[in-house]
Amino acid sequence: MDQAQIEVQVLGSLSQISAADWDSCACPEVADGGRPLDPFTTHRFLLALEQSGSVGRGTGWQPQYLTAYLDGLLIAAAPMYAKSHSQGEYIFDHSWAHAYESAGGRYYPKLQIAVPFTPATGRRFLVRPGYEGVGTSALVQGAVQLAADNRISSLHATFCTEAEAQAGEQMGLLLRQSQQFHWLNDNYTDFDGFLAALSSRKRKNIRKERAQANAFGGQIRTLTGSDLRPEHWDAFWQFYQDTGARKWGSPYLTRQFFDIAQEVMADDMALVLAERNGNPIAGALNFIGRETLFGRYWGCTEHHACLHFELCYYRAIDFAIAEGLARVEAGAQGEHKLARGYLPTRTHSLHWIGDPGFADAVRKYLDAEARAVGEEIEILTDYGPFRKSNPEEQQ
């Protein structure tokens, strides 16, 4: 296929492209009537970020959506942003920025191919089926050319798939590896089936935690679709603000985001809500993919023993088993997830650095970091909660 036939464009808003066109690349699998694999790269989710003011002017996330057309047909797209900081990415490059600017360079703005505030693995180079090779190549080359032509320090594609990471590395991008904790569904029929796969000590500990959590004096409900109401988002906004203030200084999402999401994504969300005396006191928000439940936000106005574990981890496992989902991704960081059945899993990102000398230094750093990540995953997996061959562990 002739690369010269492809036209690459940058869009300042998703309102400039139809949902049908964008989603033909982002989630072509929905043609069978099912869910998208990744709800976060859909037109409706990304546009909700824009319309709610969660990205755009004043946020440090300026939309620069990349699109590639072949004879007028959209064959590929990427959610790209011009960034004036490194917040809300979860693949941290603050040390790179400091080093580059200490040497007299200008690190920001940079280009980021990512879903804002969302450390969830998914395709970042969204390609129409049948155009995988040429579409990915057009997006990568287009993004690199845009950065180089505008003397932008760097380009980053975070939480991409392993296949994209391999393809990007072959195209000359730098590969970075990190790790998260994911729960994998081994065809469990219920939560007790999952517990049966754990060592006796871990199994007893989880049962104890669940009993403590559910003794908080109220009820826990999981709401999705038409069961979600505006008053639930009023409550969750309070939880989200509390968590945001403690973790990030200020929340990334605006209040309006949840109102828009209620209108266009109610079926894509599962809100686990704890209520006491009729009042919501804690909540955990998940997004539902075709194969994965993505745990995203948690917050509370009352603190009760183990309630965080119950809402964020155990109820997510309950939901995944009931819905036949293959995994739960519980977000960034958190080694405490290991004892609760979430195992270390490698994640990937791709990077282009304009300055050759700095790129070489980053490459050496990434090689050392990858070895450290591999060793950490091996050690943590060995400390996982699942039964070993030791007969004592199988009692």
Side-chain angles (χ1 to χ4, degrees), residues 61-385:
W61 289 85
Q62 192 61 39
Q64 299 282 285
Y65 305 107
L66 206 62
T67 56
Y69 292 86
L70 178 64
D71 295 332
L73 175 70
L74 180 72
I75 64 166
M80 189 168 73
Y81 300 83
K83 290 295 305 295
S84 59
H85 54 65
S86 292
Q87 304 301 317
E89 297 170 12
Y90 301 94
I91 297 293
F92 301 115
D93 64 347
H94 298 90
S95 60
W96 301 4
H98 178 73
Y100 194 65
E101 293 184 350
S102 295
R106 183 187 178 195
Y107 194 73
Y108 302 107
K110 61 177 184 174
L111 292 179
Q112 192 86 17
I113 296 176
V115 177
F117 334 123
T118 308
T121 293
R123 290 190 305 133
R124 296 297 172 259
F125 303 101
L126 312 174
V127 181
R128 183 184 293 270
Y131 297 88
E132 288 79 6
V134 68
T136 300
S137 178
L139 292 174
V140 171
Q141 291 181 36
V144 169
Q145 191 66 51
L146 182 66
D149 288 349
N150 290 277
R151 297 184 179 180
I152 293 174
S153 70
S154 54
L155 164 72
H156 313 265
T158 45
F159 293 101
C160 61
T161 66
E162 184 176 4
E164 288 177 325
Q166 293 173 351
E169 190 175 27
Q170 292 175 357
M171 284 184 267
L173 301 181
L174 301 177
L175 172 63
R176 189 175 192 184
Q177 299 182 31
S178 305
Q179 63 101 1
Q180 289 181 334
F181 293 89
H182 298 173
W183 179 84
L184 303 179
N185 188 354
D186 191 17
N187 295 315
Y188 302 119
T189 56
D190 54 26
F191 196 90
D192 283 338
F194 157 62
L195 289 181
L198 306 183
S199 68
S200 174
R201 183 169 60 88
K202 297 298 185 184
R203 185 163 60 245
K204 290 176 181 176
N205 184 65
I206 289 177
R207 284 179 173 149
K208 180 181 178 181
E209 287 186 344
R210 297 205 76 176
Q212 285 182 307
N214 285 280
F216 76 99
Q219 65 171 339
I220 299 172
R221 297 188 292 159
T222 299
L223 307 170
T224 189
S226 60
D227 291 333
L228 290 166
R229 303 294 185 188
E231 59 266 27
H232 297 139
W233 298 119
D234 289 337
F236 188 76
W237 175 245
Q238 299 301 316
F239 308 148
Y240 177 68
Q241 279 188 302
D242 176 70
T243 301
R246 287 185 288 104
K247 285 191 174 183
W248 317 305
S250 61
Y252 291 135
L253 299 174
T254 66
R255 175 64 182 85
Q256 189 182 10
F257 171 82
F258 297 100
D259 291 334
I260 297 173
Q262 166 76 30
E263 295 177 10
V264 301
M265 299 195 71
D267 291 334
D268 299 305
M269 298 183 291
L271 177 62
V272 185
L273 204 61
E275 299 170 315
R276 196 166 67 85
N277 298 325
N279 297 314
I281 57 125
L285 179 59
N286 306 273
F287 283 81
I288 311 166
R290 177 174 291 224
E291 299 174 352
T292 306
L293 184 68
F294 300 94
R296 290 304 303 116
Y297 302 108
W298 142 269
C300 64
T301 54
E302 293 183 12
H303 295 276
H304 296 273
C306 301
L307 194 58
H308 171 255
F309 301 145
E310 177 69 13
L311 267 62
C312 293
Y313 308 139
Y314 302 142
R315 293 289 171 138
I317 291 173
D318 281 336
F319 187 91
I321 292 173
E323 296 295 320
L325 301 177
R327 67 185 65 82
V328 178
E329 292 193 19
Q333 306 169 341
E335 292 186 4
H336 59 278
K337 298 168 186 171
L338 182 66
R340 292 159 184 95
Y342 291 72
L343 294 178
T345 304
R346 202 178 303 268
T347 60
H348 309 274
S349 59
L350 293 165
H351 308 268
W352 173 87
I353 307 291
D355 183 274
F358 189 56
D360 187 56
V362 169
R363 181 181 294 105
K364 291 175 182 176
Y365 169 81
L366 293 180
D367 288 343
E369 184 183 49
R371 290 192 295 271
V373 168
E375 291 171 2
E376 183 178 23
I377 288 176
E378 184 176 350
I379 292 170
L380 288 172
T381 300
D382 192 53
Y383 277 98

